[in-house]
């Protein structure tokens, strides 16, 4: 099969390296603003090709994987779905936009194709998703961040919070996902994944804790439901090629694509 990857950044490149040795994958066509990035990768991986026309390349591809930006989701995902192509979306934060989310869901239904969201930087989405087929009482995402990871956010100036003055773990935000993603854009992908898998943006609770001793980003997911309680902790190491991305998030898209292409799917 031929795959189109949108975005030849840290995640897109790692995915291409993982697909390089998969016999099922014939060609990997990249849509990327910076052509030189694709050209450099094509020197390493023979299957990699630069694509300058998305609509043209769509005709040749069976799967589209977005690993670029929220802007790229808006620009390319509806077009791919209109053509009946399955799409894997990494910049899931784009789907905070209700209109875009509903439009894409409708296009996928009309054109008989699928939108896949990898679990990204958080564990427990499988359980949340199963629990959400019946009643869920509460979903809470608690993120523990170092002051460094939150610096430059306007939210703290508005609240009169000085991150440098925090000497022990302190709750700096408590609210619902819809509001949280406006103030903490770096949390947007994780919050959106949980909200879409469970109770939605208006009912998913988010708490941000600043921990001056934290050296990693930790996410704790708590689900209370009719089927029992789930609690997961994910402590993420940064991805070496891009410290703003969690290592596990980069691996989650590889795992998702392998499930889609392969014959065995654990955790479906
Ligand atoms: N779901 C999750 O949990 C999760 C976790 C980490 C990152 N992400 C998201 O995945 C995406 C990729 O992350 P990354 O670390 O590879 O980023 P990156 O900055 O290393 O790479 C992104 C690449 O996409 C290209 N690009 C961006 N917008 C484009 C557009 N409209 N058209 C063509 N090319 C475009 C950029 O030039 C860049 O080369 C980001 O949006 C990030 O927020 C999601």
């Amino acid at each position: 099969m031929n795959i189109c990857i949108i975005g030849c950044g840290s995640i897109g490149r790692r995915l291409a390296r993982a697909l390089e040795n998969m016999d099922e994958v014939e060609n990997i066509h990249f849509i990327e603003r910076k052509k030189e990035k694709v050209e450099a990768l094509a020197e390493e991986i023979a299957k990699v090709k630069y694509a300058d026309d998305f609509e043209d390349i769509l005709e040749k591809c069976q799967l589209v994987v977005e690993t670029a930006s929220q802007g790229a989701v808006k620009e390319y995902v509806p077009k791919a779905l209109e053509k009946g192509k399955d799409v894997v979306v990494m910049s899931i934060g784009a789907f905070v936009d209700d209109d875009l989310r509903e439009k894409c869901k409708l296009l996928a239904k009309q054109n008989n194709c699928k939108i896949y969201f990898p679990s990204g930087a958080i564990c427990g989405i499988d359980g949340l998703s199963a629990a959400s087929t019946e009643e869920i009482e509460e979903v809470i995402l608690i993120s523990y961040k170092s002051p460094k990871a939150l610096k430059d956010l306007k939210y703290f100036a508005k609240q009169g919070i000085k991150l440098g003055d925090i000497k022990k773990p302190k709750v700096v935000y408590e609210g619902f996902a819809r509001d949280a993603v406006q103030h903490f854009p770096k949390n947007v992908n994780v919050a959106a994944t949980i909200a879409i898998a469970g109770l939605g943006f208006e009912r998913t609770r988010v708490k941000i804790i600043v921990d001056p001793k934290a050296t990693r980003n930790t996410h704790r997911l708590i689900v209370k439901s009719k089927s029992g309680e789930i609690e997961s902790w994910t402590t993420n190491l940064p991805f070496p090629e891009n410290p703003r991305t969690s290592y596990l998030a980069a691996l989650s898209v590889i795992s998702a694509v392998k499930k889609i292409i392969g014959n065995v799917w654990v955790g479906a």
Side-chain angles (χ1 to χ4, degrees):
M1 78 188 303
N2 295 323
I3 295 187
C4 172
I5 304 181
I6 304 164
C8 188
S10 62
I11 299 180
R13 284 194 300 270
R14 180 59 71 100
L15 174 62
R17 289 194 182 102
L19 298 178
E20 183 185 5
N21 299 318
M22 288 184 69
D23 294 339
E24 296 91 336
V25 179
E26 239 177 286
N27 294 297
I28 306 166
H29 298 278
F30 268 100
I31 291 285
E32 166 60 55
R33 278 187 195 137
K34 297 176 184 156
K35 187 178 181 184
E36 62 282 4
K37 285 187 164 185
V38 184
E39 286 170 341
L41 191 65
E43 283 182 18
E44 260 179 66
I45 303 173
K47 290 179 183 179
V48 164
K49 313 220 155 38
Y50 175 73
D52 55 8
D53 187 313
F54 184 62
E55 314 218 347
D56 192 31
I57 215 64
L58 266 183
E59 300 295 330
K60 299 182 187 144
C61 291
Q62 289 74 47
L63 180 68
V64 175
V65 186
E66 178 282 323
T67 61
S69 60
Q70 291 190 26
V73 173
K74 292 187 184 118
E75 190 176 347
Y76 297 110
V77 172
K79 287 183 191 161
L81 297 169
E82 268 164 25
K83 294 279 176 194
K85 306 293 171 176
D86 293 342
V87 184
V88 180
V89 176
M90 263 320 263
S91 307
I92 183 170
F95 286 97
V96 172
D97 177 339
D98 295 335
D99 291 342
L100 180 70
R101 199 174 63 250
E102 290 313 314
K103 177 180 171 184
C104 287
K105 273 163 68 177
L106 186 65
L107 283 171
K109 192 172 178 183
Q110 284 170 342
N111 297 296
N112 195 24
C113 52
K114 292 187 170 38
I115 310 169
Y116 297 99
F117 299 126
S119 50
I122 182 114
C123 296
I125 299 299
D126 50 350
L128 170 58
S129 173
S132 75
T133 61
E134 289 200 0
E135 219 172 285
I136 300 188
E137 248 168 73
E138 193 169 48
V139 179
I140 313 173
L141 166 67
I142 307 174
S143 296
Y144 297 78
K145 305 260 180 189
S146 68
K148 201 174 142 204
L150 294 170
K151 73 176 169 48
D152 302 332
L153 287 185
K154 286 186 191 137
Y155 171 80
F156 294 104
K158 273 193 222 149
Q159 299 294 316
I161 298 171
K162 288 196 176 122
L163 289 169
D165 291 349
I166 298 176
K167 303 292 176 224
K168 55 181 190 188
K170 179 183 164 77
V171 177
V172 291
Y173 177 83
E174 229 178 327
F176 289 95
R178 170 79 65 205
D179 181 52
V181 297
Q182 314 293 334
H183 300 305
F184 301 94
K186 284 185 189 164
N187 248 27
V188 67
N189 289 311
V190 168
T193 307
I194 291 170
I196 292 171
L199 283 180
F201 290 94
E202 324 298 339
R203 291 177 60 208
T204 300
R205 291 177 54 202
V206 175
K207 206 188 261 193
I208 309 278
I209 297 180
V210 171
D211 180 354
K213 290 199 179 128
T215 51
R216 299 168 181 181
N217 278 335
T218 297
H219 298 295
R220 181 178 167 200
L221 172 66
I222 302 169
V223 181
K224 293 180 186 161
S225 74
K226 195 179 168 189
S227 53
E229 293 195 7
I230 299 167
E231 181 160 350
S232 84
W233 288 80
T234 313
T235 298
N236 285 299
L237 284 176
F239 190 42
E241 290 178 47
N242 179 357
R244 281 170 317 184
T245 282
S246 298
Y247 204 142
L248 191 70
L251 301 186
S252 81
V253 71
I254 296 174
S255 152
V257 172
K258 283 189 169 175
K259 284 172 191 159
I260 296 165
I261 296 176
N263 306 100
V264 178
W265 187 321
V266 179

